[in-house]
């Protein structure tokens, strides 16, 4: 099997490296830059290059290029800590959901702004008390004439305070099993009845938000897909979220700083670096399989599990390398504080282990 890159892919990677380095020089770097790096001007620059939606179908405004090209760009940008957050969620999940399940009117209304890097979206999924269990969500949308009326609360909503739209996962029916009766709505964040409360995290960031919905009226035309049948749609979204390169390289910039400082004359340090490099390459292979469509259905849970466990090991190595200086090293300190979140957000490691055991391996509950 030939694992080499084509000349076009090598050129694309070299270009992405240059763009990433330039962005970091102008805007700075952050750990987990696809969540922490909110920078609309950089999004518009990438859009001008045609790099937002590069793997979307051409009929929806994308470039129609293979998913592996998008992965190459993302690996270099996020690996360097370039600020991709303002468009990332919309390009990765919302756009594909809308051009797969949305109406022609929704596609014409929302996709152009995403491709232009001019719209920030958040996902209204997690709720207090529901944890990583989507079927337990309680936010309700009740049909009233030509509208849905939404009441409930979401939490851990990244970019809730700066988003133009929330892609809301809510319950439109209580009939049947817990995973039934779930729907997806597009909700404008300036709708009356929405209150956003940012949550400051231990790393000093405030991208997480609580979002409260009180009698928020949403046009019924904003329903994506079939009412009450969105569980499978949401699972498909999670495939994009869990199986991407962003779950492997979120703190790669931190790792590079640790390598610059590490004592490579120490055999134990060299051994640890070798283990990290090996795990990184194994993680890439898992992500490649996702990008190439070769991974089994639901395997993104295993990919996310392996990759984010690797990210925690990178943080441990960085902390040992910097020692007490880690508490005084600015961005390194923030990166280390933030690292605790990798194995929690998007599904905790224990939840993902359950998914792997039950849905992939077919083990009894």
């Amino acid at each position: 099997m030939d694992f080499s890159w084509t000349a076009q892919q090598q050129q694309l990677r070299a270009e992405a490296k240059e763009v990433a380095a330039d962005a970091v020089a102008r805007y700075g770097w952050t750990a987990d830059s696809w969540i922490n790096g909110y920078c609309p001007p950089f999004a518009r620059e990438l859009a001008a290059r045609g790099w937002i939606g590069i793997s979307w179908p051409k009929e929806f405004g994308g470039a129609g290029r293979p998913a592996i090209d998008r992965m190459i760009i993302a690996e270099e940008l996020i690996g360097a800590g370039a600020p991709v957050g303002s468009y990332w969620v919309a390009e990765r999940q919302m756009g594909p959901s809308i051009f797969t399940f949305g109406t022609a009117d929704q596609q014409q209304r929302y996709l152009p702004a995403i491709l232009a890097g001019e719209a920030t979206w958040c996902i209204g999924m997690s709720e207090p008390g529901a944890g990583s269990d989507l079927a337990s969500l309680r936010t309700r949308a009740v049909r009233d004439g030509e509208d849905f009326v939404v009441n409930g609360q979401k939490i851990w909503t990244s970019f809730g305070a700066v988003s133009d739209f929330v892609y809301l996962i809510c319950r439109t029916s209580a009939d049947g099993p817990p995973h039934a009766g779930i729907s997806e709505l597009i909700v404008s964040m300036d709708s009356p009845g929405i209150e956003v409360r940012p949550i400051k995290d231990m790393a000093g960031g405030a991208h997480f938000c609580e979002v409260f919905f009180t009698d928020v009226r949403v046009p019924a035309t904003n329903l994506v897909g079939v009412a009450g049948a969105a569980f499978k749609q949401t699972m498909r979204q999670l495939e994009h979220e869990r199986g991407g390169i962003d779950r492997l390289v979120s703190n790669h910039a931190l790792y590079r700083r640790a390598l610059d400082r590490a004592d490579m004359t120490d055999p134990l340090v060299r051994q640890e670096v070798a283990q990290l490099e090996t795990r990184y390459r194994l993680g890439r292979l898992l992500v490649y399989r996702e990008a190439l469509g070769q991974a089994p259905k639901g395997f993104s849970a295993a990919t996310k599990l392996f990759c984010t466990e690797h990210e925690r090991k990178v943080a441990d190595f960085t902390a040992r390398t910097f020692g007490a200086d880690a508490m005084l090293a600015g961005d390194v300190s923030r990166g280390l504080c933030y690292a605790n979140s990798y194995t929690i957000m998007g599904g905790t490691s224990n939840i993902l282990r359950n998914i792997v055991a039950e849905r992939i391996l077919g083990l009894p509950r």
Side-chain angles (χ1 to χ4, degrees), residues 119-318:
T120 297
W121 289 59
C122 58
I123 305 176
M125 187 176 297
S126 297
E127 296 187 2
S132 300
D133 183 6
L134 181 66
S136 297
L137 65 80
R138 296 182 177 178
T139 295
R140 294 182 59 83
V142 178
R143 187 69 181 262
D144 182 21
E146 297 302 313
D147 295 334
F148 285 100
V149 179
V150 179
N151 283 280
Q153 179 191 354
K154 297 293 179 178
I155 195 169
W156 314 125
T157 306
S158 296
F159 296 128
V162 293
S163 287
D164 301 291
F165 302 97
V166 54
Y167 199 89
L168 185 69
I169 318 298
C170 55
R171 185 169 295 284
T172 50
S173 173
D175 298 332
H179 64 275
I182 293 174
S183 300
E184 297 179 333
L185 296 176
I186 298 172
V187 183
S188 176
M189 286 298 289
D190 62 4
S191 302
I194 293 181
E195 179 187 0
V196 180
R197 298 176 187 173
I199 302 170
K200 191 168 185 177
D201 62 39
M202 66 186 291
H207 65 84
F208 283 139
C209 296
E210 291 178 289
V211 184
F212 298 85
F213 299 84
T214 304
D215 295 330
V216 177
R217 301 194 75 86
V218 181
T221 53
N222 283 21
L223 173 73
V224 180
V226 178
F231 187 81
K232 290 184 178 178
Q233 294 176 204
T234 306
M235 290 298 104
R236 190 161 175 177
Q237 274 190 51
L238 290 174
E239 293 283 306
H240 294 299
E241 180 177 336
R242 290 171 173 167
I245 192 71
D246 33 332
R247 295 298 188 180
L248 178 68
V249 300
S250 290
N251 63 355
H252 203 66
L254 195 67
Y255 176 59
R256 289 174 177 171
R257 281 153 181 79
L259 284 182
D260 290 341
R261 191 182 176 101
D263 178 10
M264 298 302 288
T265 65
D266 186 329
L268 294 178
V269 172
R270 292 202 303 274
Q271 185 178 51
E272 186 170 9
V273 170
Q275 291 172 343
L276 290 172
E277 293 287 344
T278 300
R279 290 183 62 87
Y280 182 77
R281 281 156 179 75
L282 289 172
R284 286 178 90 192
L285 290 176
L286 294 177
V287 174
Y288 291 172
R289 293 183 67 187
E290 300 282 352
L292 294 170
Q294 297 177 353
K297 185 179 180 181
F299 195 77
S300 63
T303 301
K304 197 266 183 185
L305 173 63
F306 181 89
C307 291
T308 53
E309 291 285 343
H310 166 76
E311 290 183 310
R312 290 290 296 270
K313 293 181 184 299
V314 166
D316 292 343
F317 169 71
T318 303

Side-chain angles (χ1 to χ4, degrees), residues 62-83:
R65 291 170 63 170
I68 201 76
D69 286 3
R70 178 181 179 275
M71 197 214 71
I72 290 171
I73 294 170
E75 183 175 13
E76 295 303 327
L77 294 180
I78 300 173

